[in-house]
């Protein structure tokens, strides 16, 4: 079966560079979609699954890169961006402030950012980190798409009802917001995620008339 064009493009993702601050980011031109999530939310697994590459996001986990912003090029003008996550327990407050400053800076300064994908473990939704991201999306009027990860850990009915509950809690979010179930383990939700990324990155859909 032919792959959809977004899937094809994502499968071409290549590590481009790591940046410690906004000055080190690639030129601010084209389109970027940023991925964010608390540590252990399943962000690396989601990036790997969506790009069809088993080790791509491991780059972001190598020592020395975990606090950096990691860029993956899809083509000349499109990029995925892996934002540093952190575990509340593990990081000292001073480090966390530093991290938050870099992230704030990236989120505020980057003209090419077209959307934010937020990963939340379906068993632990709407933690402080997630609220911070939602608040920023609201302030910046930045579209946000939530992957409720590890959906395979719950029965379908329970996963669906969690999704609906979170959806209703976020119904007054002032910026464009969407959410879906996702599992890097069994591939649930990949098509929906590709659709959203294709829309944001302006990847042309195949001509249905042919
Ligand atoms: P990150 O810290 O957000 O990048 O999280 P990882 O992608 O490293 O995942 C954290 C843990 O959750 C790992 O043990 C993964 O194997 C597990 N995990 C990630 N995604 C899924 C999923 O969709 N289903 C299940 N069952 N486990 C997952």
């Amino acid at each position: 079966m032919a792959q959809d064009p977004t899937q094809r493009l994502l499968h071409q993702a290549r590590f481009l560079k790591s940046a410690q601050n906004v000055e080190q980011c690639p030129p601010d031109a084209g389109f970027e979609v940023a991925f964010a999530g608390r540590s252990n939310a399943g962000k690396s697994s989601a990036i790997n699954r969506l790009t069809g590459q088993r080790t791509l996001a491991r780059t972001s986990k190598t020592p020395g890169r975990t606090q950096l912003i990691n860029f993956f090029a899809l083509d000349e003008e499109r990029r995925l961006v892996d934002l540093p996550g952190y575990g509340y327990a593990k990081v000292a407050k001073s480090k966390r402030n530093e991290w938050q400053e870099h992230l704030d800076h990236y989120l505020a300064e980057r003209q090419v950012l077209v959307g934010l994908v937020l990963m939340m473990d379906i068993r632990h939704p709407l933690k402080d980190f997630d609220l911070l991201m939602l608040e920023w999306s609201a302030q910046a009027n930045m579209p946000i798409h939530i992957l409720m990860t590890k959906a395979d850990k719950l029965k379908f009915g329970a996963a669906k009802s969690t999704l609906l509950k979170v959806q209703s809690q976020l119904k007054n979010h002032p910026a464009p917001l969407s959410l879906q179930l996702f599992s890097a383990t069994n591939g649930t939700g990949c098509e929906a995620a590709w659709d959203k990324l294709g829309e944001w990155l302006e990847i042309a859909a195949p001509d249905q008339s042919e």
Side-chain angles (χ1 to χ4, degrees):
M1 211 174 66
Q3 286 182 332
D4 89 46
T6 304
Q7 179 180 8
R8 200 161 50 228
L9 193 65
L10 260 71
H11 281 205
Q12 292 178 27
R14 293 287 172 268
F15 175 69
L16 182 65
K17 68 179 298 190
S18 297
Q20 202 163 23
N21 49 46
V22 169
E23 290 71 41
Q24 292 175 357
C25 291
D28 200 356
F31 304 85
E32 275 172 14
V33 171
F35 284 68
R38 303 168 73 222
S39 310
N40 217 38
K43 177 164 58 89
S44 309
S45 305
I47 293 175
N48 288 343
R49 181 80 195 202
L50 290 169
T51 57
Q53 299 182 39
R54 281 159 72 184
T55 56
L56 191 69
R58 196 181 288 164
T59 323
S60 313
K61 293 206 154 192
T62 51
R65 286 202 206 270
T66 53
Q67 295 297 313
L68 303 178
I69 301 170
N70 293 297
F71 291 85
F72 302 98
L74 302 177
D75 61 15
E76 291 291 306
E77 51 176 4
R78 296 177 176 87
R79 290 175 293 278
L80 301 184
V81 184
D82 189 354
L83 298 177
Y86 61 91
Y88 272 87
K90 287 188 203 137
V91 181
K93 199 154 190 198
S94 59
K95 264 276 174 220
R96 199 183 304 161
N97 291 343
E98 195 182 307
W99 167 91
Q100 198 168 332
E101 214 168 277
H102 286 326
L103 188 63
D104 280 351
H105 226 133
Y106 169 82
L107 293 171
E109 303 271 316
R110 217 51 192 163
Q111 299 298 316
V112 284
L113 188 60
V114 292
L116 181 69
V117 180
L118 176 63
M119 261 86 14
M120 300 194 299
D121 186 323
I122 191 153
R123 299 162 302 168
H124 312 288
L126 298 176
K127 297 288 190 192
D128 285 356
F129 176 89
D130 309 317
L131 300 179
L132 194 71
M133 289 294 124
L134 283 158
E135 191 185 304
W136 174 80
S137 148
Q139 273 171 17
N141 194 29
M142 177 62 62
I144 185 162
H145 184 66
I146 299 175
L147 301 184
M148 308 223 37
T149 59
K150 312 189 194 179
D152 59 284
K153 293 268 194 188
L154 299 182
K155 293 209 171 93
F156 181 72
K160 192 79 195 173
S161 77
T162 306
L163 180 78
L164 293 174
K165 196 166 140 203
V166 173
Q167 198 159 34
S168 109
Q169 282 172 288
L170 297 178
K171 70 174 185 298
N172 294 324
H173 190 71
L177 177 141
S178 43
L179 64 170
Q180 62 159 106
L181 299 179
F182 189 83
S183 165
T185 301
N186 66 19
T188 296
C190 279
E191 280 77 12
W194 286 322
D195 280 355
K196 181 52 72 178
L197 294 171
E199 178 195 319
W200 281 351
L201 293 166
E202 298 189 17
I203 298 166
D207 186 346
Q208 299 294 334
S209 64
E210 282 176 18

